[in-house]
Amino acid sequence: MTKAIEKDSQQFYSRLTKVLSRIHQAKNFSDAYPLVEKTLLALFNAQRITVYQRNRLSKDIVSRFKTGDDLTEIRVPITASSIAGYVALSKNAVSIADVRDSAELTKIHPSLSFNDSFEKQIEFTSKSMLVLPILYNDVLLGVLQIINRKDGKSFSAVDLKRGKQFAELLGQKFRYDFGCTEGPYEYLIEQGWLDENTFKQLQEKSDSRTPLSRLLRDHAKITNSQLGQSLECFYQVPFVAYNPEKYFLHPLCEKVNKAYLKNSNLVLLSNQSDDAVIVLIDDPNDSKRILEINNVIGNHESQVCVGMLDDIHQYLGYSAGVQSDGANLNSLLDELEDGQELDIQETSEDYDEVSEEDSTVVKLVNRILLDAKRLRASDIHVEPGKGSTSTAVRMRIDGVCQEIIQIPATHSKATISRIKIMSRLDIAEKRLPQDGKFAVRLQGQPLEVRVATIPTVNGEGVVMRLLQSGEPVSFEQLNFSKRNYDGVTELLQHPHGIMLVVGPTGSGKTTTLHALLATLNTPERKIWTAEDPVEITQPGLQQVQIQPKTGFTFSAALRAFLRADPDVILIGEMRDQETAHSAVEASLTGHLVLSTLHTNSAPETITRLLDLGIDPISFSDALLGVLAQRLVRTLCPSCKKTYLASADEIALLQRRYGEHSAELNLGEKVKLYKAVGCEECNHTGYRGRTGIHELLISTPAMREKIYQGATVSEIRAQAEVDGMRSLMQDGIEKVLKGDIDFEQLRRVTAE
């Protein structure tokens, strides 16, 4: 059997070599195609082959070469609505058993469908397809479509592999037919407009905040027209420069977070002479970004174009290197004295003249902190740039990073030193990471901040975490589903045992734990907590700050608590075997123990703790339940809009929910909600976050699984039998409830 496969493979490559030889001997592919068509059909045992090519100035791909004379030409838009269009858009090869099977197409992409209008005019019916992108240097040049195996079977994995190899070699031929260059700026060198040594020097000095295109214009005197021609030759799409008289923001931009567009280096434009959406992007080869924005474009006709980063930002209302949002911060930046014109060879060592005690620097840091509090940011990231490049300040708002301002290089070091002074860190130590914290009151607002500095190749980076000090949220505000609400309520009634709240960093575990403690915090209960740091305080709790440097660890605190007559113990995190073992022992001796763990799901938590070396029998007896959670951006209540779900969307929800989808009670008309954007949510469509949860309850059957050392999949299967619903399922219930949309749910779940 193996010898037969090897012989077949050798025969294939022998015939393929002959085909390729004919292709390369021809002046162009048009001359070669008639000679190779029959051979290709035989190689893939197929009925038909269609080769689409991309026209640089067109919005679609066109069938230049195909089997049969039924139709002179087929034009397919580069969108996810058709098979060839999706392959062109995503640059992913697909093998489809039945093009009329909507379920199979939806698995590839929710918008995908088969257009049989072409076949109604001819005597041919498509069934199986092998569709592959024709690429060179990751640039789309066309699409190869192989239709129907003659034996009626589906195309195999071997066919797919061979098809990819042929498409790759075909791309090399198309490269010469299209006049493609090897890089975005190679055409400049070929035309003699740019010296190669100068190009290499400028390329070394470029970075994410000082793009190469800007350096070429400013220091090599390359014109916009020359840059445009070079980018077109490489990317094979039209170039669009900044021309506000001809191009303007498309209304669809209002549905997208402006910061997302800026960070993604793309913008949606309209042209007065055309209704199509122009997707202007700095790298048309990035199919991931293009697929993401295609979800916003939907059924609108669109065309991908290449633009320079500065021009894209200018369409969005930003000038080069300066953020236009945050008027308060920019008014302070205006106070910074104008520096001299900087030469690109200067380094960051030239900017030590500004003091950290300078009044403008002090005001700037205070304003950053105030605006972070006002914008409900959880973190502030101060990221130094290379050399003369500005320092970026980004804030994580509702879980998403947004750039707020750029601090000029002249004041970058002084700003970072000011933060270190406030945190009582060593400002002279710049080679090692440091941790600190500070508490301030700005305009009557108390603010507690944890600070971490990390040396980078461009200087010290700073991350400031704004601690959520104050009262705990109520149990009802956790937004549990009825199933999880009842389950957690029942678990909290147990006098002893372990309950864990798990999830990644920043998933709201501490908030949830304190909401649970608030329900247990009664005069008849003695509650001790060990936390690092103590973020939320409650009257009636005895709260302890962990100090690892002095040896006061979680395990040490837990041992001390057991001598202090507790009823309920909260351990901030079970980081090691000693802490986990002590927590199990505490729960078995009559205490209710609450703690957290960094795991991705409830079933994984059990195997993770067993891997730490905990005795399975003791742990299974102690465990009450595991609550896994994620935080998801919620739709802005002021502007979210209802709409009737399509049949495809309903099918998608049912498929993702799984075998219990009947619980959703979906009828023919299902009302969903989508983001719009208003002043309240800063035109993002989202405001605040809520939790999605999965609750694993320890039942007798589950304890038996733990005894036996079951795998994660076995534990998950048993938990589902016991009534657990996954994060995805809980999220879908909140989608139908109108709290979130499905797009945000997919960002935090891996299912």
Side-chain angles (χ1 to χ4, degrees):
M1 186 69 178
T2 305
K3 291 183 178 180
I5 294 174
E6 290 178 353
K7 183 178 180 181
D8 178 62
S9 180
Q10 290 173 357
Q11 290 177 348
F12 174 84
Y13 288 115
S14 174
R15 298 165 75 180
L16 181 61
T17 302
K18 294 179 182 178
V19 172
L20 296 173
S21 176
R22 291 181 179 180
I23 292 174
H24 287 293
Q25 288 173 8
K27 291 182 179 180
N28 52 55
F29 189 74
S30 299
D31 296 337
Y33 184 75
L35 302 173
V36 302
E37 180 189 3
K38 291 183 180 178
T39 308
L40 285 176
L41 290 172
L43 282 174
F44 293 96
N45 193 25
Q47 293 181 352
R48 290 200 173 201
I49 288 179
T50 302
V51 180
Y52 295 88
Q53 280 189 335
R54 184 180 202 169
N55 186 324
R56 185 186 300 179
L57 300 178
S58 176
K59 308 178 186 69
D60 47 30
I61 52 176
V62 184
S63 60
R64 298 297 188 197
F65 316 99
K66 59 185 183 61
T67 306
D69 299 320
D70 330 76
L71 297 171
T72 56
E73 183 178 270
I74 301 174
R75 287 185 172 271
V76 178
I78 303 177
T79 66
S81 59
S82 67
I83 297 172
Y86 167 77
V87 170
L89 182 71
S90 65
K91 295 189 287 191
N92 293 326
V94 298
S95 178
I96 302 172
D98 186 355
V99 295
R100 288 173 170 79
D101 185 350
S102 58
E104 184 179 5
L105 297 182
T106 303
K107 287 181 181 178
I108 299 172
H109 191 278
S111 303
L112 197 60
S113 62
F114 176 65
N115 182 1
D116 63 354
S117 59
F118 299 116
E119 296 184 352
K120 292 179 180 178
Q121 307 173 39
I122 60 177
E123 295 181 0
F124 184 80
T125 301
S126 298
K127 186 179 180 183
S128 58
M129 278 191 188
L130 194 60
V131 191
L132 312 107
I134 301 172
L135 308 171
Y136 184 78
N137 272 353
D138 206 33
V139 176
L140 177 75
L141 302 180
V143 171
L144 172 64
Q145 188 170 275
I146 306 172
I147 309 170
N148 289 1
R149 281 183 60 102
K150 291 179 180 178
D151 56 11
K153 298 179 180 178
S154 303
F155 290 101
S156 65
V158 174
D159 292 329
L160 180 61
K161 180 181 178 181
R162 292 174 174 178
K164 287 180 179 178
Q165 292 172 329
F166 179 74
E168 180 180 351
L169 296 168
L170 196 57
Q172 296 179 11
K173 180 62 178 177
F174 279 16
R175 176 252 173 139
Y176 294 104
D177 290 0
F178 287 23
C180 297
T181 53
E182 291 288 337
Y185 303 105
E186 183 185 0
Y187 186 76
L188 300 174
I189 300 173
E190 289 180 356
Q191 296 299 311
W193 298 332
L194 179 64
D195 177 73
E196 190 167 359
N197 290 331
T198 303
F199 173 73
K200 289 180 179 178
Q201 291 174 5
L202 294 175
Q203 192 175 34
E204 291 176 358
K205 297 179 184 303
S206 66
D207 56 32
S208 60
R209 297 189 182 90
T210 309
L212 183 55
S213 58
R214 187 191 303 168
L215 296 177
L216 289 171
R217 284 191 297 185
D218 295 346
H219 300 280
K221 308 305 178 186
I222 302 297
T223 66
N224 281 355
S225 175
Q226 291 169 336
L227 281 168
Q229 291 179 58
S230 185
L231 293 172
E232 282 187 349
C233 279
F234 177 72
Y235 290 110
Q236 294 296 307
V237 297
F239 168 77
V240 172
Y242 182 69
N243 186 353
E245 295 182 0
K246 184 177 180 181
Y247 302 100
F248 46 93
L249 290 181
H250 195 280
L252 286 174
C253 278
E254 296 178 2
K255 298 183 178 181
V256 188
N257 187 339
K258 191 177 180 182
Y260 167 80
L261 291 174
K262 181 178 184 292
N263 293 333
S264 299
N265 296 331
L266 65 85
V267 64
L268 305 180
L269 300 176
S270 291
N271 186 343
Q272 292 178 345
S273 60
D274 195 343
D275 294 331
V277 181
I278 297 172
V279 181
L280 188 62
I281 187 169
D282 67 328
D283 182 8
N285 285 353
D286 192 338
S287 56
K288 180 181 178 182
R289 279 187 284 163
I290 292 173
L291 277 171
E292 285 179 350
I293 202 64
N294 193 64
N295 293 330
V296 177
I297 296 170
N299 295 325
H300 289 81
E301 185 181 8
S302 63
Q303 181 176 21
V304 175
C305 297
V306 62
M308 290 179 288
L309 186 141
D310 287 346
D311 292 351
I312 293 170
H313 289 182
Q314 206 163 355
Y315 276 117
L316 290 168
Y318 302 93
S319 57
V322 180
Q323 168 81 0
S324 65
D325 284 355
N328 290 335
L329 290 169
N330 281 332
S331 64
L332 281 170
L333 289 177
D334 290 339
E335 298 180 23
L336 301 181
E337 51 189 290
D338 295 329
Q340 296 178 347
E341 184 175 349
L342 302 172
D343 185 86
I344 59 171
Q345 296 180 346
E346 293 185 57
T347 67
S348 59
E349 299 301 322
D350 300 316
Y351 306 109
D352 290 333
E353 68 274 18
V354 180
S355 168
E356 61 272 6
E357 300 299 331
D358 183 276
S359 62
T360 306
V361 172
V362 173
K363 290 178 182 178
L364 177 61
V365 173
N366 290 351
R367 177 55 64 182
I368 289 173
L369 293 170
L370 269 175
D371 279 20
K373 184 76 171 178
R374 177 178 58 83
L375 295 170
R376 299 172 292 104
S378 59
D379 304 274
I380 305 170
H381 301 261
V382 183
E383 301 166 339
K386 181 180 180 182
S388 62
T389 308
S390 301
T391 291
V393 177
R394 297 197 294 162
M395 297 183 186
R396 189 178 297 279
I397 302 169
D398 292 337
V400 178
C401 276
Q402 300 179 22
E403 187 172 300
I404 303 301
I405 59 164
Q406 296 271 350
I407 301 174
T410 52
H411 289 64
S412 295
K413 287 190 175 181
T415 302
I416 292 171
S417 294
R418 172 63 184 168
I419 296 170
K420 292 173 72 175
I421 288 172
M422 296 172 69
S423 312
R424 298 183 180 180
L425 301 178
D426 183 359
I427 62 172
E429 179 56 74
K430 300 179 180 180
R431 297 171 299 175
L432 296 174
Q434 297 187 70
D435 294 316
K437 62 181 179 179
F438 62 87
V440 294
R441 183 176 292 273
L442 298 173
Q443 295 183 355
Q445 300 184 47
L447 192 63
E448 190 174 352
V449 182
R450 295 195 75 181
V451 178
T453 67
I454 302 177
T456 73
V457 293
N458 297 327
E460 281 188 290
V462 177
V463 177
M464 294 183 281
R465 182 182 177 193
L466 279 63
L467 301 183
Q468 301 300 315
S469 57
E471 296 294 321
V473 302
S474 67
F475 188 64
E476 287 70 24
Q477 288 177 299
L478 294 177
N479 198 17
F480 284 130
S481 66
K482 187 179 186 307
R483 178 187 296 105
N484 290 337
Y485 183 95
D486 294 341
V488 172
T489 301
E490 182 180 349
L491 293 182
L492 293 177
Q493 293 173 356
H494 285 73
H496 55 81
I498 290 181
M499 180 176 176
L500 299 170
V501 179
V502 303
T505 301
S507 59
K509 299 186 295 295
T510 301
T511 300
T512 297
L513 279 175
H514 273 275
L516 302 182
L517 278 183
T519 66
L520 298 171
N521 189 7
T522 58
E524 58 269 18
R525 285 194 181 97
K526 179 65 178 287
I527 302 176
W528 286 91
T529 78
E531 303 168 75
D532 184 22
V534 176
E535 296 184 42
I536 302 171
T537 57
Q538 295 187 51
L541 303 186
Q542 296 295 302
Q543 297 179 260
V544 172
Q545 170 70 54
I546 293 301
Q547 301 288 349
K549 292 181 180 179
T550 64
F552 191 42
T553 61
F554 283 117
S555 57
L558 183 53
R559 289 195 299 270
F561 290 169
L562 293 177
R563 297 191 293 270
D565 190 29
D567 294 303
V568 180
I569 298 173
L570 184 149
I571 298 297
E573 183 182 349
M574 294 206 298
R575 296 176 178 172
D576 51 57
Q577 180 183 4
E578 184 181 2
T579 304
H581 177 75
S582 299
V584 170
E585 292 298 319
S587 67
L588 292 174
T589 54
H591 307 94
L592 179 61
V593 179
L594 307 180
S595 188
T596 72
L597 204 65
H598 288 92
T599 57
N600 291 322
S601 68
E604 288 178 36
T605 304
I606 293 174
T607 57
R608 170 80 178 276
L609 287 171
L610 292 178
D611 288 342
L612 283 177
I614 296 178
D615 177 43
I617 298 176
S618 298
F619 178 58
S620 62
D621 289 339
L623 183 66
L624 298 176
V626 182
L627 178 70
Q629 69 177 51
R630 298 288 189 281
L631 289 180
V632 190
R633 298 172 79 191
T634 54
L635 292 165
C636 175
S638 301
C639 63
K640 66 180 180 181
K641 187 177 180 180
T642 61
Y643 70 97
L644 286 178
S646 66
D648 289 342
E649 287 175 316
I650 294 173
L652 178 63
L653 291 173
Q654 290 175 327
R655 186 170 67 254
R656 288 300 180 94
Y657 198 87
E659 60 179 331
H660 302 289
S661 60
E663 297 173 351
L664 300 176
N665 296 319
L666 298 178
E668 294 183 0
K669 294 184 178 180
V670 176
K671 185 170 67 172
L672 297 180
Y673 298 80
K674 60 183 177 181
V676 178
C678 64
E679 291 293 336
E680 290 291 323
C681 60
N682 198 23
H683 300 285
T684 63
Y686 303 95
R687 183 172 175 82
R689 290 190 287 177
T690 191
I692 57 173
H693 312 88
E694 65 179 19
L695 178 62
L696 181 154
I697 295 177
S698 181
T699 62
M702 181 61 71
R703 287 194 287 272
E704 184 68 27
K705 292 289 183 184
I706 299 174
Y707 292 157
Q708 299 169 358
T711 63
V712 173
S713 58
E714 291 172 337
I715 291 172
R716 176 172 290 279
Q718 182 59 52
E720 289 175 352
V721 171
D722 295 338
M724 185 189 82
R725 295 296 175 261
S726 69
L727 292 167
M728 174 64 76
Q729 291 170 320
D730 189 59
I732 288 174
E733 290 185 17
K734 290 181 171 65
V735 168
L736 296 171
K737 185 180 172 184
D739 292 339
I740 62 176
D741 59 13
F742 196 73
E743 182 60 33
Q744 293 302 313
L745 176 61
R746 283 191 288 198
R747 288 175 179 269
V748 298
T749 54
E751 296 180 47

